[in-house]
Amino acid sequence: MPIVRAREITLAALALVALTGCGSVGRFDPNPSHTVDLSGSWTLDRAASDDPKPVIEKLRPMPVKHRWDMPPDDGSGDDIGPPDGGGQQGGGQRGGGRSRRGGGSQGQPQVVYRNNNDAYTHSTVLKMLQADLARAQSLTIRQAPDQFTLDYGSAVRRFTPGAVSVVSAAWGVADQSSGWKGREYIIHVKPQAGVACIESFSLADDGKHLVEELRLGGGEFPGLKLKRVYSRADHPVPRDVPTND
């Protein structure tokens, strides 16, 4: 029996607009629409949370299968052909100088660029996700009218509800907004080029669990979603040397 029921319709609509839409980041309220208190120490409930392994495996590079009658792969991970459009083997392969699907050399550099960019995008998202998972075992939230703080013990992230700012991200420069949408606290980071990220924090219907949803997507990158459920802890988060995020 599931212990949480996140407000999926609201989040889905928000993600659709924020991850795939044009323009800047979303705008959120400086105060919740109803009284809500997310503050306290929380410990990850693995049984109630999504298993991250399928998401991680989806992002890992996939091996390329070769057919006996195909020229060697160009390393781009695509089956259209080598970057120079040659596709020739020692004086004459079937198809002459054509690509694997019968095309010429037209457009091959663009194909390689796209594939290399896809590989870079997946590897960057994988690193982001692995770093996020490494610190997600426990969490302390401090909630105040002028600041929302996520303290993982090894890293501290501070946000101003309702504010929009420019921050550094894995992709370079990104727009960031955070604040309240109903009873949820939303953090939206949208880079100028790269994969957008939306994090939401809310209480489950029972009021005893914290629900965090992480959504990644935008552009040609397929949407990814990961839900984590936390139980209230009766002790503070273990303290390491913190870093500010």
Side-chain angles (χ1 to χ4, degrees):
M1 176 179 177
I3 63 173
V4 297
R5 199 61 191 161
R7 298 159 226 353
E8 297 182 355
I9 296 179
T10 301
L11 273 178
L14 172 64
L16 181 63
V17 173
L19 294 183
T20 63
C22 299
S24 186
V25 288
R27 297 294 192 271
F28 306 105
D29 298 325
N31 300 297
S33 61
H34 303 280
T35 301
V36 58
D37 186 8
L38 305 182
S39 61
S41 296
W42 304 90
T43 302
L44 182 67
D45 185 338
R46 295 180 180 275
S49 302
D50 290 344
D51 183 358
K53 291 182 180 179
V55 177
I56 292 176
E57 290 303 319
K58 186 177 180 180
L59 294 171
R60 293 190 188 279
M62 301 298 292
V64 179
K65 295 182 179 180
H66 300 280
R67 284 173 45 186
W68 66 270
D69 59 343
M70 290 295 184
D73 193 6
D74 56 11
S76 67
D78 193 272
D79 61 351
I80 295 180
D84 59 1
Q88 294 177 322
Q89 290 278 322
Q93 268 283 352
R94 196 170 69 183
R98 299 191 174 193
S99 65
R100 298 184 191 181
R101 289 182 180 171
S105 62
Q106 301 291 335
Q108 293 300 331
Q110 287 85 347
V111 169
V112 174
Y113 171 80
R114 188 197 70 212
N115 293 328
N116 289 341
N117 187 61
D118 287 348
Y120 168 75
T121 299
H122 278 69
S123 63
T124 303
V125 173
L126 181 58
K127 291 177 182 177
M128 292 170 54
L129 184 59
Q130 288 173 331
D132 181 73
L133 292 171
R135 67 187 182 191
Q137 305 307 310
S138 55
L139 168 66
T140 294
I141 295 180
R142 300 182 185 92
Q143 179 182 325
D146 59 346
Q147 191 172 83
F148 187 85
T149 303
L150 301 173
D151 187 347
Y152 299 93
S154 59
V156 179
R157 305 169 65 195
R158 297 180 176 89
F159 305 92
T160 301
V164 178
S165 58
V166 177
V167 298
S168 60
W171 314 96
V173 177
D175 292 328
Q176 174 182 280
S177 66
S178 74
W180 295 95
K181 186 175 181 65
R183 296 175 181 267
E184 299 169 334
Y185 196 86
I186 309 291
I187 302 166
H188 182 197
V189 178
K190 185 175 182 181
Q192 294 180 355
V195 178
C197 172
I198 292 180
E199 299 170 87
S200 67
F201 297 85
S202 62
L203 289 178
D205 290 342
D206 61 6
K208 299 178 181 179
H209 296 84
L210 176 74
V211 180
E212 176 190 1
E213 287 202 3
L214 172 67
R215 294 173 182 264
L216 301 169
E220 297 182 356
F221 187 83
L224 297 177
K225 175 184 172 183
L226 190 64
K227 182 178 71 175
R228 288 192 285 258
V229 179
Y230 292 83
S231 301
R232 284 198 179 273
D234 54 4
H235 54 80
V237 170
R239 172 59 54 194
D240 295 333
V241 178
T243 59
N244 293 326
D245 192 358

